[in-house]
């Protein structure tokens, strides 16, 4: 899904909107898909803390979340 230019201008400063609408990633099959936060990523996004400890972060998408953020 590609956001319209008007939507981008109106929401560019909203981090949550950007994560849900502007980014795409490659899934495990190598296909490019829109980024959709999983449960772990949503918890990190809501907490807004810089001192999070996540075990096995690569398997839960934490690295991808922080790169996009």
């Amino acid at each position: 899904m590609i956001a319209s230019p008007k939507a981008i201008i109106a929401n560019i400063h909203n981090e949550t909107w950007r994560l849900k609408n502007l980014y795409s990633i490659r899934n495990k099959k190598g296909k490019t898909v829109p980024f959709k936060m999983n449960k772990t990523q949503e918890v990190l996004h809501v907490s807004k803390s810089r001192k999070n400890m996540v075990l096995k972060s690569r398997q839960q998408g934490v690295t991808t979340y922080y790169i996009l953020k």
Side-chain angles (χ1 to χ4, degrees):
M1 163 171 82
I2 298 175
S4 71
K6 287 182 182 181
I8 293 171
I9 292 169
N11 296 295
I12 196 69
H13 297 292
N14 183 332
E15 182 179 52
T16 304
W17 184 88
R18 286 193 320 264
L19 285 169
K20 291 181 178 182
N21 294 284
L22 295 183
Y23 302 114
S24 59
I25 60 171
R26 289 185 191 229
N27 65 12
K28 292 180 181 179
K29 296 179 182 178
K31 184 177 177 185
T32 301
V33 296
F35 176 71
K36 182 178 177 186
M37 285 191 278
N38 62 30
K39 186 76 168 177
T40 302
Q41 292 164 335
E42 288 177 2
V43 169
L44 288 171
H45 186 68
V46 171
S47 74
K48 299 289 184 186
S49 174
R50 290 279 186 197
K51 298 180 180 181
N52 294 315
M53 182 183 296
V54 181
L55 302 176
K56 297 187 178 184
S57 61
R58 288 187 56 167
Q59 293 178 6
Q60 297 178 20
V62 174
T63 304
T64 302
Y65 168 75
Y66 279 114
I67 289 171
L68 292 177
K69 186 176 172 190

